[in-house]
Amino acid sequence: MAKLRELCPDSPFELHLTTQLRPGLRLGGYDTTRAYRLIDQLGIRDLVRTLGAVPYDDLPGVYGSVHAVICPAYTESFSHTVVEAMALRVPVIASDIAVHREVAADAAVFFSPLDASELAARCLALMTNSSLRDRLRDAGLERASLFSWRVHFEQLLV
């Protein structure tokens, strides 16, 4: 967010996190103190909204309220978030790790994990290029249709 603000200081954008960040808060063994303080150190507190845990039934509304979903993981076993966003025609910006490439293929734009400048460049490209957004929406919907719990379950039974 700090790098994106440098690239386009007058553009209104926000980062919505589906978690809480507070000093001393531990979520699943992760202490959120450092992340909370980093937001202040970077001077982006005004750009960050922490939504907390979002009930599954409310996720379509959250996805529908954003212009893109960013999946910055540096390790992941399967990215449900990528599939959900694509199924709802929300453009995806994902870290360039094997599972994201496998799940999204050409239906996302990728950045090197831990490279804030490259992530900011991908965000800016998506913000300024309507044909890229449209291509990702269409490709994402098509790609998401390949993932089905029912088909997965039936394949396990064979």
Side-chain angles (χ1 to χ4, degrees):
M1 293 303 292
K3 295 286 185 187
L4 188 56
R5 180 178 262 170
E6 288 174 16
L7 292 173
C8 48
D10 298 325
S11 185
F13 54 84
E14 293 179 339
L15 176 64
H16 295 216
L17 301 173
T18 55
T19 190
Q20 286 293 329
L21 301 175
R22 289 192 307 272
L25 177 64
R26 295 187 69 80
L27 297 172
Y30 174 75
D31 184 343
T32 67
T33 303
R34 186 168 178 242
Y36 179 87
R37 290 185 177 144
L38 181 61
I39 290 169
D40 288 328
Q41 290 169 0
L42 293 172
I44 58 171
R45 176 73 51 202
D46 61 314
L47 302 177
V48 178
R49 305 288 174 261
T50 54
L51 304 177
V54 176
Y56 192 75
D57 289 344
D58 295 343
L59 284 176
V62 172
Y63 284 120
S65 71
V66 300
H67 297 286
V69 167
I70 300 170
C71 298
Y74 54 88
T75 185
E76 184 81 66
S77 59
F78 184 82
S79 189
H80 290 91
T81 303
V82 170
V83 176
E84 292 166 351
M86 291 186 310
L88 293 168
R89 299 191 79 241
V90 179
V92 173
I93 303 169
S95 55
D96 195 356
I97 60 175
V99 70
H100 288 160
R101 287 277 181 185
E102 181 180 344
V103 170
D106 66 345
V109 291
F110 299 95
F111 66 96
S112 299
L114 307 177
D115 187 334
S117 295
E118 192 173 352
L119 172 55
R122 299 300 180 268
C123 290
L124 183 59
L126 206 62
M127 290 167 55
T128 59
N129 187 333
S130 62
S131 64
L132 175 61
R133 289 191 305 273
D134 292 342
R135 183 188 71 73
L136 291 177
R137 285 184 183 111
D138 294 342
L141 184 60
E142 183 176 331
R143 183 74 184 160
S145 72
L146 301 176
F147 297 91
S148 162
W149 280 113
R150 179 179 301 280
V151 170
H152 178 69
F153 181 72
E154 289 170 355
Q155 289 172 340
L156 289 173
L157 293 177
V158 174

